[in-house]
Amino acid sequence: MRHPAGTRALKKMNILIVKPSSLGDIVHTLPVVPLLRKHWPEAVISWVVNEEYARLLDLCPDIDHVLVFRRHRWNRPRHWPELYSFLHELRQQKPDLCLDFQGLFRSGLISRLSGAKRRVGFRSAREGATCFYTESVLPPKEMQHAVQRNVFLLQNALQIDDPVQNSGISCSQVDMDNMQRLLRNYDVDGRSVFLTVAPAARWQAKTWPPDFFIDVLREVWSRQPDLPVLLLGTATERPLGEIITDECGRQGRIVNLMGETDLGTLVAVLRHTRVLLTNDSGPMHLAAMLGTPVVALFGPTDPLLTGPYGQAHRVFRGKCERTPCLQYNCPKGTNACHYTVSSQEVAAA
């Protein structure tokens, strides 16, 4: 149940979190919420998030108020008057403390416009965002992973030293029912063991070719012929799933769910999967935070910084002299790192 801002009579402070996107980055920030709730049980915790990710925050019961930033809609001048309503809602939170985990001009400006007396962000924030902060935090150089850095910002701002806990994400009965209904449509028993695969990613260089996933699944089915496989992703990524299902449909049981799961249903599916095979993607981060084992493929990005968080995961890194290049497209034009990982080893994992 959401608590409208200001309704808790015994609150000790109002706390605003600014982290509008992306899915993986939001997941990396979620562990700060249980820590806040532990130390300030009567505080009102609000979060500014882009519209497409708001549903995920609804699954975190410790968040009291979700402020939706309609970035794509408000990019068009005719919708700019709607920003006044957002700014009014923002100021209504009357935050005592604003934590900007995004570190860009837009998020820094939001933190300033919130009216919070204390505005804390990273010293490494870009686009001049630090100009909007009253305090900036510099994590130690040896602290590399995004989850650790986010928790460090909170620890530094509020002088606590608790270790990283879970994300606090819950799975509602509605989401469970939606998952069961969806799987029944494809004659898959939601109580059975299944493998999920997220074959797409936002960057072209992060996206392993469909032939790689096809080879992995064929090898998996040679060992476990009856194992159902579910493909996860967005509607725009669905054609990639169709390529894989067309090639694999004769070898084993495979269902293309890409574009058919909202964030709540996705959480339910990932909670009940045996393992997720994935590129460096949003579903990878979400599965890891839910405690689902992940087998992840990394090429242009660095798993030490943004890999699946936790111990129960396997990461395979492409071998290239430029790895990690951090480039959207392969700078060599060959996607060489994709062809240096063994599909047999991944299937075994």
Side-chain angles (χ1 to χ4, degrees):
M1 178 179 178
R2 289 283 174 260
H3 303 275
T7 61
R8 290 188 175 185
L10 298 177
K11 74 180 189 302
K12 294 181 179 178
M13 69 167 65
N14 290 339
I15 301 171
L16 177 66
I17 296 172
V18 182
K19 188 64 171 178
S21 66
S22 59
L23 177 57
D25 293 339
I26 291 169
V27 171
H28 287 156
T29 310
L30 280 171
V32 308
V33 177
L35 291 178
L36 284 171
R37 184 59 70 208
K38 175 183 176 181
H39 287 272
W40 288 272
E42 298 302 329
V44 173
I45 301 174
S46 305
W47 190 311
V48 176
V49 68
N50 285 355
E51 185 174 21
E52 60 267 35
Y53 306 115
R55 177 70 181 102
L56 180 63
L57 299 187
D58 285 335
L59 302 177
C60 188
D62 285 329
I63 298 175
D64 298 296
H65 196 57
V66 178
L67 287 78
V68 177
F69 189 84
R70 294 177 170 83
R71 176 184 175 184
H72 299 295
R73 178 177 175 85
W74 294 339
N75 277 340
R76 296 187 287 274
R78 69 175 183 272
H79 297 306
W80 286 355
E82 298 175 8
L83 283 167
Y84 291 106
S85 295
F86 169 78
L87 292 175
H88 177 73
E89 184 182 17
L90 181 69
R91 296 301 294 264
Q92 283 293 104
Q93 310 312 306
K94 298 180 180 178
D96 303 292
L97 170 67
C98 178
L99 301 169
D100 179 12
F101 292 96
Q102 193 80 21
L104 296 174
F105 176 82
R106 183 185 294 108
S107 61
L109 180 60
I110 290 172
S111 71
R112 179 65 181 87
L113 293 174
S114 73
K117 293 181 180 178
R118 289 187 68 200
R119 302 180 298 277
V120 185
F122 290 110
R123 196 172 301 174
S124 59
R126 296 174 290 161
E127 301 176 356
T130 54
C131 296
F132 300 109
Y133 304 153
T134 59
E135 305 164 42
S136 60
V137 174
L138 182 64
K141 289 183 179 180
E142 65 272 13
M143 187 174 288
Q144 300 186 63
H145 198 281
V147 170
Q148 296 172 321
R149 292 169 63 85
N150 289 335
V151 170
F152 180 83
L153 187 148
L154 175 68
Q155 292 170 330
N156 192 278
L158 297 177
Q159 299 301 302
I160 60 177
D161 58 3
D162 298 57
V164 177
Q165 299 180 352
N166 60 36
S167 64
I169 299 175
S170 63
C171 189
S172 72
Q173 189 60 48
V174 171
D175 295 321
M176 287 292 299
D177 293 342
N178 288 340
M179 179 194 74
Q180 296 288 356
R181 190 179 306 111
L182 178 61
L183 295 182
R184 281 198 300 270
N185 291 340
Y186 291 98
D187 296 321
V188 176
D189 185 351
R191 298 167 297 179
S192 65
V193 173
F194 49 81
L195 165 71
T196 53
V197 180
R202 294 177 64 194
W203 296 8
Q204 184 274 333
K206 288 183 182 180
T207 306
W208 254 246
D211 287 348
F212 180 87
F213 291 100
I214 293 168
D215 290 343
V216 170
L217 292 178
R218 285 172 174 167
E219 181 65 24
V220 168
W221 281 321
S222 73
R223 305 175 187 213
Q224 299 188 54
D226 299 325
L227 182 67
V229 174
L230 311 178
L231 302 185
L232 301 177
T234 66
T236 56
E237 296 163 349
R238 188 175 179 87
L240 174 60
E242 291 174 350
I243 294 173
I244 296 172
T245 52
D246 288 346
E247 287 295 322
C248 290
R250 293 181 297 275
Q251 281 79 36
R253 185 83 173 93
I254 184 168
V255 177
N256 185 5
L257 298 181
M258 301 175 80
E260 298 193 44
T261 59
D262 61 14
L263 279 172
T265 309
L266 177 63
V267 167
V269 171
L270 290 174
R271 272 195 182 277
H272 289 80
T273 189
R274 173 63 62 85
V275 64
L276 172 70
L277 169 63
T278 179
N279 302 307
D280 176 11
S281 64
M284 176 195 75
H285 299 297
L286 186 54
M289 202 59 69
L290 291 169
T292 297
V294 168
V295 175
L297 307 170
F298 272 74
T301 50
D302 189 346
L304 294 177
L305 305 180
T306 57
Y309 193 75
Q311 302 299 319
H313 313 298
R314 286 287 305 277
V315 173
F316 290 86
R317 299 189 69 175
K319 298 177 180 63
C320 173
E321 66 273 12
R322 298 193 183 185
T323 300
C325 64
L326 304 179
Q327 298 295 310
Y328 181 92
N329 294 298
C330 174
K332 299 174 66 175
T334 61
N335 289 322
C337 59
H338 294 171
Y339 301 98
T340 59
V341 174
S342 164
S343 58
Q344 287 78 16
E345 291 181 5
V346 171

